[in-house]
Amino acid sequence: MTATAASTSAQSASCGGIVCITGATAGFGAATARRFAADGWRIIATGRRQDRLDALVAELGADSCLPLCFDVRDAAAVQNALENLPEAWRAVDVLVNNAGLALGLEPAHRCSLDDWMTMVDTNIKGLLHVTRALLPGMVERGRGHVVNLGSITGTYAYPGANVYGGTKAFVMQFSRGLRADLHGTGVRVTNIEPGLAESEFSVVRFGGDADRAAKLYAGASALRPEDIAATIAWAVSCPAHVNVSRIEVMPTSQSFGALPVHRA
Protein backbone atom coordinates (compact mmCIF):
# COMPACT_ATOMS: atom_id res chain seq x y z
CA MET A 1 0.00 0.00 0.00
CA THR A 2 1.36 3.43 -0.90
CA ALA A 3 1.67 6.20 1.66
CA THR A 4 -1.21 8.02 -0.02
CA ALA A 5 -3.42 4.93 0.07
CA ALA A 6 -2.55 4.30 3.71
CA SER A 7 -3.40 7.90 4.55
CA THR A 8 -6.73 7.62 2.74
CA SER A 9 -7.50 4.37 4.55
CA ALA A 10 -6.74 5.90 7.93
CA GLN A 11 -8.84 8.94 7.13
CA SER A 12 -11.82 6.85 6.06
CA ALA A 13 -11.59 4.78 9.28
CA SER A 14 -11.86 7.91 11.41
CA CYS A 15 -14.54 9.76 9.41
CA GLY A 16 -17.45 7.69 10.47
CA GLY A 17 -19.56 4.65 9.97
CA ILE A 18 -21.72 2.71 12.39
CA VAL A 19 -20.41 1.65 15.78
CA CYS A 20 -22.34 -0.53 18.24
CA ILE A 21 -21.36 0.10 21.86
CA THR A 22 -22.64 -2.12 24.66
CA GLY A 23 -22.98 -0.66 28.12
CA ALA A 24 -23.19 2.82 26.59
CA THR A 25 -25.08 4.40 29.49
CA ALA A 26 -22.09 5.15 31.73
CA GLY A 27 -18.30 5.08 32.09
CA PHE A 28 -16.20 3.87 29.19
CA GLY A 29 -19.27 3.20 27.06
CA ALA A 30 -20.79 6.66 27.35
CA ALA A 31 -17.40 8.34 26.80
CA THR A 32 -16.79 6.17 23.73
CA ALA A 33 -20.22 7.05 22.32
CA ARG A 34 -19.47 10.75 22.71
CA ARG A 35 -16.01 10.41 21.19
CA PHE A 36 -17.22 8.49 18.14
CA ALA A 37 -20.17 10.84 17.65
CA ALA A 38 -17.74 13.78 17.68
CA ASP A 39 -15.72 11.98 15.00
CA GLY A 40 -18.79 11.71 12.77
CA TRP A 41 -19.90 8.14 13.53
CA ARG A 42 -23.45 6.93 14.05
CA ILE A 43 -23.89 5.17 17.36
CA ILE A 44 -25.96 2.11 18.24
CA ALA A 45 -26.03 2.53 22.01
CA THR A 46 -27.11 -0.44 24.11
CA GLY A 47 -27.77 -0.59 27.81
CA ARG A 48 -30.19 -1.70 30.49
CA ARG A 49 -31.34 1.77 31.59
CA GLN A 50 -33.82 3.34 29.20
CA ASP A 51 -33.69 6.73 30.90
CA ARG A 52 -29.95 6.99 30.36
CA LEU A 53 -30.27 5.86 26.76
CA ASP A 54 -32.90 8.54 26.23
CA ALA A 55 -30.55 11.14 27.71
CA LEU A 56 -27.74 10.01 25.41
CA VAL A 57 -30.00 10.29 22.35
CA ALA A 58 -31.05 13.78 23.47
CA GLU A 59 -27.38 14.72 23.76
CA LEU A 60 -26.10 13.17 20.52
CA GLY A 61 -29.21 13.54 18.37
CA ALA A 62 -31.71 11.00 17.07
CA ASP A 63 -30.06 10.91 13.66
CA SER A 64 -26.73 10.01 15.23
CA CYS A 65 -27.75 7.64 18.02
CA LEU A 66 -30.00 4.57 17.94
CA PRO A 67 -30.84 3.34 21.47
CA LEU A 68 -31.38 -0.37 22.18
CA CYS A 69 -32.49 -1.27 25.68
CA PHE A 70 -31.56 -4.82 26.63
CA ASP A 71 -29.40 -6.81 29.03
CA VAL A 72 -26.49 -8.51 27.25
CA ARG A 73 -27.07 -11.55 29.48
CA ASP A 74 -30.39 -12.16 27.72
CA ALA A 75 -29.42 -14.02 24.54
CA ALA A 76 -32.91 -13.84 23.04
CA ALA A 77 -33.22 -10.09 23.65
CA VAL A 78 -29.80 -9.48 22.11
CA GLN A 79 -30.61 -11.54 19.04
CA ASN A 80 -34.03 -9.95 18.58
CA ALA A 81 -32.69 -6.40 18.85
CA LEU A 82 -29.72 -6.87 16.54
CA GLU A 83 -31.54 -8.99 13.95
CA ASN A 84 -34.20 -6.31 13.62
CA LEU A 85 -32.06 -3.23 13.24
CA PRO A 86 -33.49 -0.62 10.86
CA GLU A 87 -32.12 -1.11 7.34
CA ALA A 88 -29.96 2.02 7.54
CA TRP A 89 -28.26 0.74 10.71
CA ARG A 90 -27.49 -2.86 9.78
CA ALA A 91 -23.99 -2.54 8.33
CA VAL A 92 -22.19 -2.26 11.67
CA ASP A 93 -18.53 -1.35 11.12
CA VAL A 94 -17.30 -1.51 14.71
CA LEU A 95 -18.49 -3.42 17.77
CA VAL A 96 -17.25 -2.20 21.13
CA ASN A 97 -17.93 -4.93 23.70
CA ASN A 98 -17.85 -2.68 26.74
CA ALA A 99 -20.66 -4.03 28.95
CA GLY A 100 -19.17 -5.69 32.01
CA LEU A 101 -18.79 -5.43 35.74
CA ALA A 102 -16.96 -6.55 38.85
CA LEU A 103 -18.75 -7.43 42.06
CA GLY A 104 -17.03 -7.51 45.44
CA LEU A 105 -13.44 -7.90 46.57
CA GLU A 106 -13.87 -10.77 48.98
CA PRO A 107 -11.52 -13.78 48.84
CA ALA A 108 -12.86 -16.78 46.96
CA HIS A 109 -13.87 -18.70 50.06
CA ARG A 110 -16.12 -15.84 51.20
CA CYS A 111 -17.48 -14.62 47.86
CA SER A 112 -21.10 -14.67 46.79
CA LEU A 113 -21.73 -17.41 44.24
CA ASP A 114 -24.49 -15.25 42.77
CA ASP A 115 -21.95 -12.46 42.18
CA TRP A 116 -19.64 -14.91 40.46
CA MET A 117 -22.41 -16.08 38.15
CA THR A 118 -23.43 -12.50 37.35
CA MET A 119 -19.87 -11.67 36.30
CA VAL A 120 -19.61 -14.79 34.15
CA ASP A 121 -23.01 -14.15 32.56
CA THR A 122 -22.21 -10.50 31.81
CA ASN A 123 -18.48 -10.39 31.06
CA ILE A 124 -18.29 -13.67 29.14
CA LYS A 125 -21.72 -14.77 27.95
CA GLY A 126 -22.94 -11.24 27.26
CA LEU A 127 -19.89 -10.51 25.14
CA LEU A 128 -20.44 -13.76 23.24
CA HIS A 129 -24.13 -13.04 22.60
CA VAL A 130 -23.43 -9.67 20.96
CA THR A 131 -20.33 -10.77 19.07
CA ARG A 132 -22.05 -13.79 17.56
CA ALA A 133 -25.00 -11.65 16.45
CA LEU A 134 -22.91 -9.04 14.60
CA LEU A 135 -19.82 -10.91 13.45
CA PRO A 136 -21.34 -12.78 10.45
CA GLY A 137 -22.35 -9.50 8.84
CA MET A 138 -18.84 -8.11 9.19
CA VAL A 139 -17.35 -11.22 7.60
CA GLU A 140 -19.87 -11.10 4.77
CA ARG A 141 -19.01 -7.44 4.05
CA GLY A 142 -15.29 -8.14 4.27
CA ARG A 143 -14.64 -5.45 6.85
CA GLY A 144 -15.27 -4.65 10.48
CA HIS A 145 -13.61 -4.29 13.85
CA VAL A 146 -14.39 -6.00 17.16
CA VAL A 147 -13.04 -4.09 20.16
CA ASN A 148 -13.23 -5.97 23.45
CA LEU A 149 -12.82 -4.32 26.83
CA GLY A 150 -10.57 -6.53 28.88
CA SER A 151 -8.52 -5.54 31.90
CA ILE A 152 -4.97 -5.77 33.19
CA THR A 153 -6.59 -8.09 35.75
CA GLY A 154 -6.80 -10.70 33.01
CA THR A 155 -2.99 -10.83 33.16
CA TYR A 156 -2.05 -9.75 36.67
CA ALA A 157 -3.93 -11.30 39.59
CA TYR A 158 -4.64 -9.46 42.82
CA PRO A 159 -6.53 -10.46 45.98
CA GLY A 160 -10.28 -10.41 45.50
CA ALA A 161 -10.16 -10.39 41.68
CA ASN A 162 -10.71 -14.15 41.45
CA VAL A 163 -13.64 -14.55 39.06
CA TYR A 164 -13.51 -11.02 37.66
CA GLY A 165 -9.90 -11.59 36.63
CA GLY A 166 -10.86 -14.97 35.21
CA THR A 167 -13.53 -13.41 33.01
CA LYS A 168 -11.07 -10.86 31.67
CA ALA A 169 -8.50 -13.57 31.00
CA PHE A 170 -11.23 -15.21 28.91
CA VAL A 171 -11.77 -11.96 27.01
CA MET A 172 -8.05 -11.78 26.22
CA GLN A 173 -7.87 -15.36 24.96
CA PHE A 174 -11.18 -15.09 23.09
CA SER A 175 -9.84 -12.00 21.32
CA ARG A 176 -6.81 -13.99 20.22
CA GLY A 177 -9.05 -16.82 19.05
CA LEU A 178 -11.16 -14.39 17.04
CA ARG A 179 -8.04 -13.07 15.32
CA ALA A 180 -7.12 -16.63 14.33
CA ASP A 181 -10.63 -17.43 13.10
CA LEU A 182 -10.97 -14.17 11.17
CA HIS A 183 -7.66 -14.49 9.33
CA GLY A 184 -8.15 -13.32 5.76
CA THR A 185 -11.64 -11.89 6.30
CA GLY A 186 -10.66 -8.23 6.66
CA VAL A 187 -12.21 -8.08 10.14
CA ARG A 188 -9.95 -6.74 12.86
CA VAL A 189 -9.91 -7.51 16.60
CA THR A 190 -8.48 -5.43 19.44
CA ASN A 191 -8.43 -6.15 23.17
CA ILE A 192 -8.16 -3.02 25.35
CA GLU A 193 -6.83 -3.74 28.85
CA PRO A 194 -7.21 -0.78 31.22
CA GLY A 195 -5.68 -0.52 34.63
CA LEU A 196 -6.98 1.73 37.42
CA ALA A 197 -9.74 3.85 35.90
CA GLU A 198 -12.22 6.08 37.70
CA SER A 199 -15.85 5.52 36.71
CA GLU A 200 -19.04 3.94 38.05
CA PHE A 201 -17.20 0.62 37.90
CA SER A 202 -16.07 0.64 41.54
CA VAL A 203 -19.37 2.04 42.81
CA VAL A 204 -21.04 -1.03 41.28
CA ARG A 205 -18.30 -3.29 42.61
CA PHE A 206 -18.83 -2.02 46.14
CA GLY A 207 -22.61 -2.34 46.03
CA GLY A 208 -23.28 1.39 45.60
CA ASP A 209 -20.82 2.56 48.27
CA ALA A 210 -19.57 5.73 46.56
CA ASP A 211 -17.38 6.73 49.52
CA ARG A 212 -15.47 3.44 49.40
CA ALA A 213 -15.03 3.82 45.64
CA ALA A 214 -13.77 7.39 46.04
CA LYS A 215 -11.09 6.25 48.50
CA LEU A 216 -9.77 3.81 45.90
CA TYR A 217 -9.08 6.66 43.49
CA ALA A 218 -8.03 9.36 45.97
CA GLY A 219 -4.72 10.91 44.92
CA ALA A 220 -4.10 8.25 42.27
CA SER A 221 -4.63 10.30 39.09
CA ALA A 222 -6.50 7.32 37.68
CA LEU A 223 -7.42 6.88 34.05
CA ARG A 224 -10.61 8.61 32.95
CA PRO A 225 -13.29 7.15 30.67
CA GLU A 226 -12.24 9.68 28.04
CA ASP A 227 -8.73 8.18 28.04
CA ILE A 228 -10.12 4.76 27.15
CA ALA A 229 -12.45 6.26 24.55
CA ALA A 230 -9.44 7.94 22.92
CA THR A 231 -7.53 4.66 22.97
CA ILE A 232 -10.40 2.83 21.27
CA ALA A 233 -10.79 5.60 18.69
CA TRP A 234 -7.07 5.42 17.86
CA ALA A 235 -7.10 1.65 17.36
CA VAL A 236 -10.15 1.88 15.11
CA SER A 237 -8.71 4.80 13.12
CA CYS A 238 -5.56 2.91 12.11
CA PRO A 239 -5.35 2.03 8.39
CA ALA A 240 -7.30 -1.06 7.36
CA HIS A 241 -4.10 -3.07 6.94
CA VAL A 242 -3.11 -2.41 10.59
CA ASN A 243 -4.57 -4.56 13.36
CA VAL A 244 -3.72 -3.42 16.88
CA SER A 245 -4.21 -6.71 18.69
CA ARG A 246 -3.77 -5.67 22.31
CA ILE A 247 -3.39 -2.45 24.27
CA GLU A 248 -2.45 -2.48 27.96
CA VAL A 249 -2.96 0.98 29.43
CA MET A 250 -2.45 2.13 33.02
CA PRO A 251 -2.21 5.51 34.73
CA THR A 252 1.33 6.73 35.27
CA SER A 253 0.75 6.29 38.99
CA GLN A 254 0.22 2.52 38.61
CA SER A 255 3.02 0.05 37.97
CA PHE A 256 4.23 -3.39 39.09
CA GLY A 257 5.19 -4.75 42.48
CA ALA A 258 6.97 -7.74 43.96
CA LEU A 259 5.08 -10.98 44.43
CA PRO A 260 4.13 -11.36 48.11
CA VAL A 261 5.69 -14.08 50.22
CA HIS A 262 3.92 -15.34 53.33
CA ARG A 263 6.30 -16.32 56.11
CA ALA A 264 5.10 -18.62 58.86
Side-chain angles (χ1 to χ4, degrees), residues 18-22 24 42-46 64-68 70 82 85 89-90 92 134:
I18 299 173
V19 56
C20 178
I21 304 170
T22 67
R42 288 188 294 153
I43 316 301
I44 299 173
T46 89
S64 299
C65 185
L66 175 69
L68 297 178
F70 59 73
L82 297 179
L85 288 170
W89 292 84
R90 290 184 180 177
V92 174
L134 293 179

Side-chain angles (χ1 to χ4, degrees), residues 221-244:
S221 298
L223 297 172
R224 306 293 299 172
E226 293 76 16
D227 300 323
I228 302 306
T231 303
I232 294 169
W234 173 76
V236 169
S237 72
C238 287
H241 71 284
V242 176
N243 187 105
V244 181

Side-chain angles (χ1 to χ4, degrees), residues 47-72:
R48 295 178 297 139
R49 293 172 284 191
Q50 186 67 58
D51 58 333
R52 292 203 178 189
L53 289 172
D54 291 343
L56 191 63
V57 173
E59 177 185 344
L60 302 182
D63 292 336
S64 299
C65 185
L66 175 69
L68 297 178
C69 188
F70 59 73
D71 189 328
V72 295

